[in-house]
Amino acid sequence: MVAAILRQVVGMEDEAGAGNPMVPLFRAQIVRALAEGRWRFADHFCDKLLAEEPGNLEALLLKGHLAWCHFHDTGAALNYFRKVITLGGFESSNEYVARARSSLARLLEQLS
């Protein structure tokens, strides 16, 4: 709701060709939450960012790391890492795909 209002106020009702003004705000909140060690808030703002940009590989990768390292939810972490790899087109040249592959390999090794 807030995102829709903000888009109308700044004249960005049509998102085609225009960046979403909420994304930088959510990213700033994520960075702040991480700096303060507030993992649940970082996860919450990742969800908000993903609601605006469902294919955001950076947010998905972060959610995978939060699930693995802070929430101890290996199932969710596996799903997020796999999703990053899939959405990134399995391209090893993509920084997020490469990091997701590395994290996935480490997690699977830890589970074995």
Side-chain angles (χ1 to χ4, degrees):
M1 171 103 167
V2 174
I5 294 169
L6 184 58
R7 278 188 222 108
Q8 287 177 339
V9 170
V10 295
M12 299 180 71
E13 294 179 45
D14 181 19
E15 288 184 3
N20 187 327
M22 296 303 290
V23 171
L25 300 174
F26 292 142
R27 284 186 185 189
Q29 290 298 323
I30 292 167
V31 169
R32 181 178 176 184
L34 291 172
E36 295 173 356
R38 299 172 70 188
W39 315 124
R40 292 283 176 200
F41 281 100
D43 187 61
H44 171 75
F45 283 107
C46 281
D47 289 338
K48 291 216 172 262
L49 193 149
L50 287 167
E52 299 293 322
E53 285 187 348
N56 187 299
L57 299 181
E58 182 180 23
L60 290 167
L61 183 63
L62 178 56
K63 282 189 67 73
H65 282 285
L66 289 169
W68 179 19
C69 300
H70 298 288
F71 307 144
H72 308 291
D73 185 351
T74 55
L78 288 170
N79 288 335
Y80 284 118
F81 294 146
R82 288 178 179 147
K83 191 169 188 172
V84 170
I85 293 166
T86 303
L87 289 176
F90 302 91
E91 289 291 327
S92 295
S93 60
N94 182 309
E95 171 190 356
Y96 300 115
V97 171
R99 290 167 67 187
R101 282 186 180 185
S102 172
S103 297
L104 181 60
R106 288 191 340 253
L107 178 55
L108 290 173
E109 184 179 314
Q110 177 184 334
L111 293 174
S112 64

